[in-house]
Amino acid sequence: MKKTNKREQEAHAEMSESSVEASDSDGYEDNINDDNEDLHERDHLSQPNKDGPPVKRPKLNTGHLHRPPTSEELNNLKEAENLFHSSLFRMQITELLNEVTIKSKRKGQIDAFLHQLKDELLSLPAGKEHDLSSQKWVQKKKVKVPLVQTPLRVKGNFQFLTPSAVKVVGSYLLGTCIRPNPHVDIAVQIPKDCLQAKDHLNQRYLRKRALYLTHVAAHLQHSQIIDELKFTYHHGNHMKPILVVTPSEKLGKHFQVCIHTCLEESSFKLNRFHICKNNVRRHWFLAEPGSEDPTEGQENEPPTPHYNTAILQDMTMDKHLQFLHQAIDDSAGVKEGIALLRVWLHQRELDVGYGSFSAFILSMYVCYLLKKKKLNGMMSSYQIMRNTLLNLSAEDAWCTQGLSLLDLKTPADSHRPSLAEFCSVFEVVFVDPTGYVNLCAGMNKQTIQRVCHEAKVSIRCLETSTVDSFELLFMTPVPFIRKFDHILHLSNLQNLKSSCKKFGIEDTLLDHSGNYLNCCLSRLLQLLEKSLGKRVDLIACQPDQTQQWDLSENPPDWDSVKKISFGLLLNQEFATSILEKGPAADISEASSFREFWGGKSELRRFQDGSICEAVVWPSQTLAERRQVCGRIARHILHRHAGLPREDTIFIGGQLNSLLCFPQRTKKPAIAYGTGEEQHLDILRSYDELCKQLRSLKDLPLNITSIQGTDPVFRFADVFPAMPATFKAATKLDGNRQIPIPDKACPPWTKTMKVVCIMEGSGKWPENHEAIRRLKAAIHIKLGELIHEYMNSMT
């Protein structure tokens, strides 16, 4: 016993020394030491005492294993049973949220960097006053202005002043930012003293905004906490450049900071940017002599709704953040639901480029559903995600009536645009809480249709228990080129400058700062949608990827875009239709039909006796009929947009040549195509053969069933056989057709195997050789009957 006590004292002394050393380390090492002590005590109790009776192990308390489930556990089980297909799906959702949520350790690092960046921004010194047109002072800083300035001549002065405020905005502050590569948004507020009375006119504010970012970038490029600075366009909008900051050291691998600019609420009056007002004068944009008086000749100027919206977005940024914060701040389920929806959007590339369905619009739409009581803050993340997709799939008011977040209790304002005015100007309408900004101003109708289409597909996946909906919704990427059946590329986009004149939309160049691509895009989509009609279920334009560029480089303009891509999702029932039936010849709509289709339109009499305008696209094979959509697109774009046919590249039949059968003559009598017609001809011949074989009566045993076992009968033959055409090189020898010795051997023709199953009989022999001979006899008899009754050769 003395020896045992001595050992225990030594062990306790060692443990006390280790605990003293551990007190100087961090908490993680304390936990390790605590675990080691627990293990030591358990080992000590488990070892028998050699000098005395064995030490009894303490009894395990197993009461918690049999206790009833708590109310929270019951709710989780009930939710998994009612909402999820299985508990596995619930676990997958939970694990996905853990993966995409920013960890608390990373948040601490981000917050520390943001504090340092904010201090640097607020300590920027004021600069000298310069003329807006003379930008020689920018060249000395070795930073290019991140804005396409066309025309360069503009009135006004610019002086950099220290930001009046620096705020964290966007998804990071709301708690809906997701990994990987999260972007943290901060807004630098431009002081009101930097602005002048008429800065809302003729791109003055947009240029001051770009110069302000240029001055910020020139100072931050010497900062020790920043590794890299680049410019980019906010969601591809050429009027809204932003500054992308990459932190130094290892932090730059985990997140980036996007610096935006915003205005004080009292910088301008909101009604100056009414969507029906003009703030870009035609004579200034076209470099014509004239006055810049804001009231002179305004009634004759075209409205500039997109230009006005770009400025309003900077003025209402703080109000939008407050609205989102009030709506979703207290609900963890709503935040997690938005995170799931952002993953869903990102996998489908719906949040990329100009006019996309961005994460900001998505968050606003969730708040809209909360306001309409279609969602509530007590829902789980899965319920928020599912109900949002369900409402998206059924929502049809985006392009007809419009959606609005304006509170009905807001005092009436005669200067505020009505919802009908928004719908008359924009294709997609989603009005913000102020009632002045359309959040979907740059979005076209086809984009929101694709979002609703994807929502419908996702809801069908969720309602189908046999499908792994988690894999399809959140893990499988759906890139643009994989989503659509046919792709249409437009090259040599400089030709679209002349298309603006053909469309009669030259005035919209003022609204888009000269970006003719954005001006023509909606018209091109409308032409394709009208001409293709029922042949396609969905048409969409692939958004241009927002690129970044160095501070010393010129900003990319619309002339640098190489191509525009359109995707066509075909309707299987009408995709290969070669006839476009128009109105009757004696009604007024016939003239508009002829005007749209041009020389392709012609009068035709149909089987019902009607005489109508029609367009026919001649096609001999199914392979040619599959190219009808491309032929229609080339014709319509050439006729109405003036685009050369060779600049319209149709991606849909490039591999057809691999399926073409080598022809025996230069002028084949049968159009082969890619083999579909031959498949159908063979099946028709096979059906006729089956009927004739079943009608034979002189066979020793009747045929009960006939089965084609060749791949051609299941449309799996790559090169289906052509009809035999070698009668001239053969002669009949009884019932057989054999080659003529003096002539060339006829070409080989592939045969197709057909199995005939005879009726059962007890007279079948058991010997294999006898069975083989009996089968040969049946074949001979079958050949004779085919020659006699069918007049066919064997």
Side-chain angles (χ1 to χ4, degrees):
M1 294 292 293
K2 292 181 180 179
K3 294 181 180 179
T4 303
N5 294 335
K6 187 175 181 181
R7 291 174 183 172
E8 291 179 354
Q9 292 176 0
E10 292 176 355
H12 285 299
E14 293 175 358
M15 291 167 56
S16 62
E17 290 176 1
S18 62
S19 62
V20 171
E21 294 175 357
S23 63
D24 298 332
S25 61
D26 55 7
Y28 177 71
E29 295 179 354
D30 290 341
N31 295 333
I32 295 178
N33 292 329
D34 293 340
D35 295 339
N36 290 336
E37 290 177 9
D38 295 338
L39 291 173
H40 178 74
E41 291 177 1
R42 289 197 294 268
D43 293 342
H44 178 70
L45 293 174
S46 62
Q47 292 178 358
N49 191 349
K50 297 180 181 179
D51 298 336
V55 180
K56 294 183 178 180
R57 294 184 177 179
K59 292 183 178 180
L60 296 176
N61 184 11
T62 59
H64 67 282
L65 300 177
H66 305 284
R67 63 177 175 81
T70 63
S71 58
E72 183 179 357
E73 292 173 343
L74 286 174
N75 289 334
N76 291 337
L77 291 173
K78 187 176 181 180
E79 186 181 83
E81 180 182 359
N82 296 335
L83 300 178
F84 300 89
H85 297 159
S86 63
S87 58
L88 174 63
F89 187 72
R90 180 187 179 90
M91 294 170 61
Q92 289 173 324
I93 291 290
T94 304
E95 186 62 25
L96 175 63
L97 288 172
N98 292 334
E99 287 294 326
V100 301
T101 303
I102 301 177
K103 307 302 180 185
S104 56
K105 178 182 177 181
R106 189 69 62 204
K107 286 183 178 179
Q109 296 174 346
I110 294 175
D111 292 339
F113 178 80
L114 291 178
H115 282 298
Q116 295 177 350
L117 183 60
K118 179 180 178 181
D119 293 339
E120 291 203 14
L121 291 173
L122 292 176
S123 63
L124 294 177
K128 298 180 180 180
E129 187 173 0
H130 302 278
D131 187 84
L132 273 179
S133 299
S134 177
Q135 299 178 3
K136 295 181 180 180
W137 60 276
V138 179
Q139 300 175 1
K140 298 179 181 179
K141 298 180 180 295
K142 298 181 180 180
V143 179
K144 296 292 183 66
V145 180
L147 183 70
V148 180
Q149 304 180 74
T150 305
L152 182 61
R153 178 186 59 85
V154 67
K155 293 183 179 180
N157 299 322
F158 170 76
Q159 181 183 10
F160 179 84
L161 298 177
T162 304
S164 56
V166 177
K167 305 175 183 178
V168 180
V169 297
S171 59
Y172 178 75
L173 186 63
L174 296 173
T176 60
C177 188
I178 61 173
R179 298 187 300 167
N181 303 323
H183 287 74
V184 182
D185 298 313
I186 64 172
V188 176
Q189 192 174 76
I190 300 177
K192 189 176 180 180
D193 295 337
C194 289
L195 304 177
Q196 295 173 317
K198 298 181 182 180
D199 279 354
H200 64 284
L201 292 173
N202 300 339
Q203 303 181 12
R204 293 184 191 177
Y205 165 70
L206 296 182
R207 305 215 177 169
K208 288 188 175 183
R209 180 186 185 278
L211 290 171
Y212 200 90
L213 279 177
T214 303
H215 198 281
V216 171
H219 283 78
L220 291 183
Q221 63 182 346
H222 304 295
S223 175
Q224 299 296 325
I225 64 172
I226 296 175
D227 181 50
E228 188 179 30
L229 288 171
K230 286 192 174 183
F231 286 121
T232 188
Y233 292 125
H234 183 50
H235 292 307
N237 190 347
H238 287 76
M239 292 186 283
K240 303 290 290 292
I242 59 175
L243 183 62
V244 181
V245 179
T246 303
S248 59
E249 299 178 356
K250 296 182 179 180
L251 292 180
K253 300 179 180 179
H254 303 289
F255 70 95
Q256 289 181 322
V257 177
C258 298
I259 300 180
H260 305 253
T261 60
C262 64
L263 290 172
E264 297 180 13
E265 188 175 350
S266 59
S267 298
F268 299 107
K269 294 181 180 179
L270 292 179
N271 56 26
R272 284 186 175 179
F273 303 98
H274 192 286
I275 57 174
C276 295
K277 288 186 177 181
N278 172 274
N279 285 308
V280 180
R281 301 294 185 256
R282 185 189 288 109
H283 63 79
W284 170 81
F285 186 78
L286 299 177
E288 296 176 350
S291 173
E292 292 193 12
D293 187 354
T295 60
E296 182 180 345
Q298 186 175 352
E299 63 277 0
N300 298 325
E301 297 284 350
T304 54
H306 292 88
Y307 171 85
N308 298 347
T309 302
I311 301 178
L312 282 172
Q313 288 171 349
D314 285 359
M315 295 180 61
T316 57
M317 186 181 296
D318 194 36
K319 288 186 178 180
H320 292 165
L321 181 64
Q322 293 176 6
F323 175 79
L324 288 170
H325 194 273
Q326 293 174 1
I328 68 177
D329 185 52
D330 298 331
S331 177
V334 175
K335 294 180 180 179
E336 293 177 350
I338 292 176
L340 290 176
L341 289 168
R342 291 190 63 176
V343 175
W344 177 82
L345 274 180
H346 185 71
Q347 291 290 68
R348 284 149 184 79
E349 297 181 354
L350 297 173
D351 57 346
V352 179
Y354 178 70
S356 62
F357 196 83
S358 62
F360 170 69
I361 297 177
L362 172 67
S363 302
M364 282 294 197
Y365 182 68
V366 172
C367 294
Y368 170 79
L369 297 178
L370 288 169
K371 181 182 177 181
K372 294 296 183 180
K373 307 299 181 182
K374 296 182 179 181
L375 300 176
N376 64 75
M378 301 301 294
M379 288 182 174
S380 65
S381 59
Y382 174 76
Q383 289 175 309
I384 295 291
M385 183 269 298
R386 181 188 175 91
N387 282 277
T388 302
L389 292 179
L390 191 62
N391 283 277
L392 265 177
S393 62
E395 191 71 71
D396 57 354
W398 294 91
C399 305
T400 55
Q401 303 173 358
L403 310 180
S404 178
L405 289 169
L406 181 64
D407 195 345
L408 297 177
K409 299 179 182 179
T410 304
D413 185 0
S414 60
H415 300 290
R416 183 184 296 120
S418 64
L419 206 57
E421 288 178 318
F422 276 109
C423 293
S424 65
V425 173
F426 300 105
E427 294 187 41
V428 184
V429 176
F430 186 23
V431 182
D432 77 326
T434 66
Y436 280 90
V437 184
N438 180 17
L439 303 176
C440 299
M443 190 181 301
N444 54 60
K445 182 177 66 174
Q446 287 73 20
T447 299
I448 196 63
Q449 286 176 350
R450 185 189 173 194
V451 174
C452 296
H453 168 80
E454 293 288 355
K456 291 178 183 178
V457 174
S458 301
I459 289 297
R460 286 200 296 267
C461 291
L462 290 173
E463 292 176 349
T464 306
S465 58
T466 57
V467 175
D468 187 0
S469 52
F470 177 82
E471 181 74 20
L472 293 176
L473 264 63
F474 302 110
M475 303 303 293
T476 305
V478 188
F480 185 87
I481 196 170
R482 189 187 301 173
K483 172 65 182 178
F484 294 95
D485 299 313
H486 289 164
I487 304 295
L488 199 67
H489 294 312
L490 298 184
S491 58
N492 295 328
L493 300 180
Q494 289 77 13
N495 294 322
L496 290 176
K497 295 179 181 179
S498 59
S499 300
C500 292
K501 295 181 180 180
K502 296 201 69 172
F503 292 146
I505 55 174
E506 299 96 325
D507 290 340
T508 58
L509 292 172
L510 280 67
D511 191 21
H512 292 278
S513 300
N515 190 342
Y516 54 87
L517 299 183
N518 290 342
C519 295
C520 294
L521 184 58
S522 296
R523 295 300 181 96
L524 295 176
L525 287 168
Q526 292 172 8
L527 284 175
L528 292 174
E529 189 174 40
K530 182 179 179 180
S531 60
L532 296 175
K534 295 182 180 180
R535 294 180 177 86
V536 295
D537 289 332
L538 185 66
I539 300 178
C541 177
Q542 184 177 19
D544 186 28
Q545 297 289 335
T546 304
Q547 53 185 324
Q548 299 180 1
W549 66 93
D550 294 331
L551 304 183
S552 59
E553 296 178 355
N554 290 319
D557 59 358
W558 34 91
D559 289 333
S560 62
V561 180
K562 301 299 181 183
K563 65 180 179 179
I564 297 179
S565 300
F566 299 97
L568 309 179
L569 188 64
L570 301 181
N571 184 326
Q572 295 182 3
E573 184 178 357
F574 302 103
T576 57
S577 174
I578 62 173
L579 175 66
E580 186 74 25
K581 185 178 180 181
D586 55 351
I587 62 176
S588 58
E589 287 81 359
S591 60
S592 60
F593 185 87
R594 289 191 296 268
E595 173 64 25
F596 183 75
W597 290 102
K600 293 289 184 178
S601 178
E602 57 186 7
L603 284 176
R604 282 184 171 256
R605 183 186 295 274
F606 291 87
Q607 293 181 354
D608 58 356
S610 62
I611 300 176
C612 301
E613 294 286 344
V615 177
V616 180
W617 304 92
S619 302
Q620 294 183 350
T621 64
L622 191 59
E624 294 179 357
R625 298 178 70 173
R626 285 197 296 267
Q627 306 296 314
V628 167
C629 291
R631 294 166 65 185
I632 292 175
R634 288 191 183 96
H635 172 72
I636 290 298
L637 294 179
H638 175 69
R639 173 171 175 77
H640 292 280
L643 301 180
R645 300 179 188 272
E646 58 273 12
D647 291 343
T648 304
I649 304 171
F650 183 72
I651 308 298
Q654 277 66 26
L655 297 180
N656 285 351
S657 59
L658 298 177
L659 301 177
C660 290
F661 196 75
Q663 300 292 343
R664 296 165 184 160
T665 59
K666 294 182 179 180
K667 295 182 179 180
I670 300 175
Y672 187 85
T674 52
E676 288 92 344
E677 291 77 15
Q678 279 62 43
H679 274 109
L680 298 176
D681 291 341
I682 290 172
L683 288 179
R684 283 193 291 266
S685 300
Y686 168 72
D687 293 337
E688 184 66 25
L689 177 65
C690 291
K691 294 178 183 179
Q692 294 176 351
L693 289 177
R694 288 190 179 93
S695 64
L696 297 178
K697 298 180 180 180
D698 295 336
L699 282 172
L701 293 173
N702 293 329
I703 298 175
T704 58
S705 68
I706 303 173
Q707 297 178 357
T709 60
D710 196 82
V712 72
F713 297 116
R714 51 184 181 272
F715 293 94
D717 198 349
V718 179
F719 299 107
M722 299 280 287
T725 57
F726 46 79
K727 290 184 178 180
T730 58
K731 65 179 180 178
L732 289 178
D733 184 8
N735 296 336
R736 295 174 296 174
Q737 194 171 9
I738 60 175
I740 299 176
D742 298 337
K743 293 187 177 181
C745 186
W748 175 80
T749 300
K750 181 182 177 182
T751 59
M752 287 147 281
K753 186 176 181 181
V754 177
V755 177
C756 296
I757 301 177
M758 317 298 289
E759 64 179 347
S761 175
K763 297 182 180 180
W764 280 94
E766 297 182 358
N767 185 272
H768 292 288
E769 183 64 21
I771 292 175
R772 190 175 65 83
R773 291 177 178 270
L774 188 57
K775 287 174 60 178
I778 292 176
H779 278 105
I780 293 173
K781 183 63 177 178
L782 186 61
E784 293 175 353
L785 293 175
I786 290 175
H787 176 70
E788 181 179 356
Y789 291 102
M790 302 181 191
N791 196 22
S792 299
M793 303 301 171
T794 58

